[in-house]
Amino acid sequence: MSSPLDAFDDIRPAVDRLDLLTAPVAAALRAWHGPVPVEQVLHVDTDPAHADTAVLVETYGGRLLEQSANCVVVAGKRAGEVTLAACLVLAHTRADVNGAVRRHLGARKASFAPRETAIGATGMEFGGITPIGLPAGWPLLVDAAVADTPYVLIGSGSRRGKLIVPGKALAELPGATVLEGLGTAA
């Protein structure tokens, strides 16, 4: 079985490339703890023009569509209160925002957060938002299929570069809840 590791020539531990990462991602890696050693969080330096999934897959190979995950910021609203959360789903699926996300957040309404809200709240670049380094206290909803994937290609916090992370490590991130069926057919 192939993995994202097969698609790139220059793969290094992300902790060796903190200078290429946004401040929240670098800080999260410095403070990393859990069952997966931080050295297993890998970085590949890619062209920012290839950050979007469709372009990345076209450039580096179609198999990456099944091995990549997208992190989206959502806003749940109830009684005038807004809760921001992140959802991590495989790239060939969509986050079930109006179903699974809304129910999990106990929200009356849920939608994708506006771009400016997402980048302002995370300190990351749009097109590179990653679950590593999210603000403290944020819910992180991880699709079970992501957690079950041996290695997942995700954003690095910026449009330049990607992280390759064991799925089980993503399920152990602060605030993470693994949900079956969070990602639905695109």
Side-chain angles (χ1 to χ4, degrees):
M1 177 185 211
S2 69
S3 81
L5 299 170
D6 302 329
F8 303 96
D9 294 327
D10 186 17
I11 301 170
R12 299 183 195 179
V15 292
D16 293 345
R17 292 183 165 170
L18 295 177
D19 58 316
L20 298 178
L21 303 173
T22 59
V25 177
L29 290 172
R30 281 187 201 100
W32 186 271
H33 64 280
V36 175
V38 71
E39 293 80 15
Q40 288 186 24
V41 177
L42 305 173
H43 180 269
V44 293
D45 192 13
T46 58
D47 186 329
H50 300 151
D52 295 325
T53 302
V55 177
L56 184 89
V57 167
E58 184 179 313
T59 304
Y60 294 100
R63 68 190 176 282
L64 287 179
L65 186 61
E66 305 279 328
Q67 302 163 349
S68 299
N70 291 326
C71 186
V72 296
V73 177
V74 296
K77 299 173 188 168
R78 183 174 195 88
E81 295 291 321
V82 176
T83 300
L84 294 177
C87 299
L88 188 64
V89 297
L90 291 175
H92 65 278
T93 67
R94 292 184 185 169
D96 182 13
V97 175
N98 290 312
V101 174
R102 183 184 56 76
R103 284 189 301 275
H104 185 80
L105 295 178
R108 186 162 183 72
K109 180 182 177 188
S111 59
F112 293 104
R115 173 185 257 188
E116 294 307 314
T117 300
I119 60 177
T122 63
M124 300 178 200
E125 294 178 9
F126 195 78
I129 293 176
T130 184
I132 297 173
L134 290 171
W138 271 33
L140 168 60
L141 309 181
V142 179
D143 186 74
V146 172
D148 291 340
T149 302
Y151 285 95
V152 184
L153 186 72
I154 60 173
S156 66
S158 71
R159 292 185 62 82
R160 178 183 176 180
K162 296 288 183 184
L163 298 177
I164 300 173
V165 185
K168 64 184 178 184
L170 297 168
E172 297 291 328
L173 289 173
T177 300
V178 176
L179 294 178
E180 195 71 46
L182 176 63
T184 60

